[in-house]
Amino acid sequence: MRRSSLIHDSLGVPDLLRRARIPKDLDAVTTVGDEVDPTDVGMTRDNVEAIWEAARNLYRSGIHPAVALCVRREGQVVLDRAIGHASGNGPDDHRDAEKVLATPDTPFCIFSATKGTTATLIHLLDEKGLLHIGDPVAEYLPEFARNGKSNITIGHVLSHRAGIPNAPKDALTFDTIDDWQAQREYMYDAKPLSRAGTKQAYHAVSGGSLLGEVVREITGRSIRDVLAEEILEPLGFRWMNYGVAPEDIGKVAVNYPTGPIPVPPLSTFLTRALGVHPDEATRMSNDPRFLTAVLPAANGVATANELGRFYEVLRCGGELDGTRVIGERTLRRARVAQSHLEVDGSLGLPIAFSYGYMLGGKVLSLYGPNTTKAFGHLGWINIMGWADPERALSVGLITTGKSVIYPELARFWEIGHRIGLEAAPIG
């Protein structure tokens, strides 16, 4: 009999947090990749273990059946580990289900952390003269000007100031997610909620779809193919693109709805932004039709190592291992703040954005204390990739178990905080 996610095995009482089973021996479900001696890059073994203990503490919450973390310092991997199961230990999985360990080589859907990848590609195409972020979107997609959208620029979309934050209710269905012509019509018909540039309101899905179609219009190719040719293949990435090839579907870790079931008004708010209920969006992410689609805001697939390595490229000014894929000047402009301590109209939080990246800060920061130069992007509240130039850091942190809000959420934020404390600024 399939176990209900609302039942505790041991107590037989409702478990409203929908948690995975956590083994007593955490080392038995931990795998470690190649790591250098941290003393070579100005850290100690104690520093590294303190960071990993923060990740173990998050896993102990039971909300995330798997947690993967990779930390680079001065380009060297000082921590590359995974804990938990890629599949078989979700809240609804039977206790006898086959359990597959997560490893540093396990790819995961990174959800909205995909937006950082898309933003980087848009800036590269600007550098190549194929578009300009100051141009109106309608210059490339004339029909987008419908309903008063003629003044929305590519820069507005990147900085979540385009005024069209909510996805149409039919945009995230298996009949439409990979139908680019249908997606264009949804965007053409969208009606702005505010004048372009006046308010920041996180575009969970709509902005990425729009940017993907701009890329298709100017190149004649899918944004997936352009990303691979311009960035991923020159640098030898195995993953980091939108979705996966059909033969790789079975390699991707399973996502589970966990934590308290979202209810109104929170569920109403999120459903409006996503186009579907958040639990349904989580379940959709495991479907082969989702995993093989192209969703420039939502279905990137990566290991923690490759997510961190992508930000290492950006930390190093666009060049890695002797291969340059984007100019340093372009990246400096991409990180120019477009908001500061402005409460986001969709997220309800004061998150500073540049043209596509979430920025750090002195006090309020996703990336730890006094991280004013850091930049990156969240994915579904509990996934994050970022670079911190002052500490010579690049980080990939990925979880399964998609809960919007839960009592131990502070444990997720503690990981970034701990990394900022344990890796001192360089110089």
Side-chain angles (χ1 to χ4, degrees):
M1 181 181 295
R2 192 180 188 201
R3 174 182 177 265
S4 169
S5 63
L6 297 181
I7 298 295
H8 251 317
D9 285 332
S10 59
L11 301 178
V13 296
D15 176 12
L16 299 179
L17 292 185
R18 299 187 293 176
R19 292 170 289 198
R21 303 176 186 87
I22 304 303
K24 292 181 180 179
D25 183 3
L26 297 189
D27 290 339
V29 293
T30 299
T31 53
V32 181
D34 294 332
E35 301 175 353
V36 303
D37 184 344
T39 61
D40 293 341
V41 290
M43 296 179 69
T44 68
R45 179 53 57 191
D46 286 345
N47 292 145
V48 172
E49 295 306 325
I51 293 169
W52 181 240
E53 184 56 32
R56 281 163 53 104
N57 196 37
L58 176 64
Y59 175 70
R60 288 188 186 99
S61 71
I63 297 298
H64 305 292
V67 176
L69 176 62
C70 184
V71 180
R72 281 177 172 81
R73 167 86 156 184
E74 297 183 12
Q76 301 299 309
V77 176
V78 296
L79 191 156
D80 190 11
R81 305 177 192 178
I83 184 170
H85 296 90
S87 62
N89 193 34
D92 278 332
D93 289 329
H94 192 278
R95 64 166 51 254
D96 295 328
E98 180 184 1
K99 295 174 177 58
V100 178
L101 278 178
T103 76
D105 294 326
T106 299
F108 301 79
C109 178
I110 60 174
F111 292 93
S112 284
T114 308
K115 292 179 175 66
T117 309
T118 299
T120 303
L121 180 60
I122 293 297
H123 287 290
L124 173 58
L125 296 180
D126 182 304
E127 178 181 286
K128 289 177 174 289
L130 296 177
L131 58 80
H132 191 283
I133 64 170
D135 289 339
V137 173
E139 185 171 318
Y140 305 92
L141 301 171
E143 291 183 75
F144 180 72
R146 293 179 196 166
N147 299 319
K149 301 194 298 297
S150 60
N151 293 326
I152 295 175
T153 67
I154 294 172
H156 289 144
V157 179
L158 287 169
S159 57
H160 300 270
R161 309 184 78 86
I164 48 171
N166 300 328
K169 64 179 181 179
D170 295 326
L172 270 184
T173 70
F174 289 128
D175 291 331
T176 61
I177 58 172
D178 212 26
D179 183 341
W180 62 269
Q181 292 174 317
Q183 292 296 329
R184 285 194 180 194
E185 286 300 319
Y186 289 136
M187 291 180 284
Y188 296 161
D189 289 340
K191 297 179 180 179
L193 301 180
S194 60
R195 185 163 55 87
T198 59
K199 295 180 180 180
Q200 178 180 300
Y202 185 67
H203 292 42
V205 177
S206 55
S209 297
L210 185 55
L211 294 172
E213 289 313 307
V214 170
V215 172
R216 186 189 302 275
E217 189 67 19
I218 63 177
T219 67
R221 295 182 294 156
S222 165
I223 190 173
R224 173 190 277 159
D225 296 333
V226 178
L227 175 63
E229 180 178 320
E230 297 291 345
I231 297 178
L232 302 182
E233 291 174 358
L235 292 172
F237 277 88
R238 168 67 173 89
W239 306 102
M240 281 301 298
N241 213 323
Y242 311 108
V244 296
E247 60 269 23
D248 287 329
I249 291 171
K251 298 180 176 70
V252 183
V254 175
N255 290 303
Y256 297 91
T258 56
I261 297 175
V263 296
L266 180 61
S267 62
T268 304
F269 184 75
L270 293 172
T271 299
R272 186 180 301 120
L274 296 171
V276 296
H277 188 279
D279 278 2
E280 179 59 23
T282 300
R283 296 186 185 98
M284 287 180 67
S285 73
N286 300 315
D287 192 286
R289 290 169 291 182
F290 181 95
L291 288 171
T292 55
V294 177
L295 295 170
N299 82 330
V301 173
T303 63
N305 188 304
E306 287 209 347
L307 177 57
R309 185 170 181 257
F310 189 88
Y311 278 96
E312 180 68 11
V313 177
L314 306 187
R315 184 190 74 82
C316 293
E319 180 179 356
L320 193 65
D321 300 329
T323 299
R324 175 167 295 282
V325 293
I326 189 171
E328 188 171 2
R329 182 181 182 184
T330 300
L331 291 175
R332 284 200 305 269
R333 184 189 62 181
R335 301 200 304 269
V336 172
Q338 300 303 303
S339 61
H340 178 67
L341 297 182
E342 179 179 347
V343 176
D344 187 278
S346 295
L347 300 177
L349 299 170
I351 295 180
F353 272 98
S354 71
Y355 287 117
Y357 306 117
M358 293 177 167
L359 304 177
K362 189 170 184 63
V363 178
L364 293 174
S365 177
L366 299 169
Y367 315 119
N370 196 22
T371 51
T372 56
K373 302 297 183 182
F375 61 98
H377 213 287
L378 271 175
W380 202 287
I381 304 300
N382 39 47
I383 293 171
M384 196 154 60
W386 78 94
D388 184 345
E390 290 183 312
R391 290 171 173 79
L393 288 175
S394 55
V395 183
L397 171 58
I398 308 179
T399 66
T400 59
K402 301 296 103 186
S403 180
V404 177
I405 188 167
Y406 51 102
E408 299 91 351
L409 182 58
R411 299 186 191 187
F412 174 79
W413 307 116
E414 172 59 23
I415 297 175
H417 185 80
R418 181 53 50 188
I419 290 172
L421 291 176
E422 299 296 335
I426 300 292

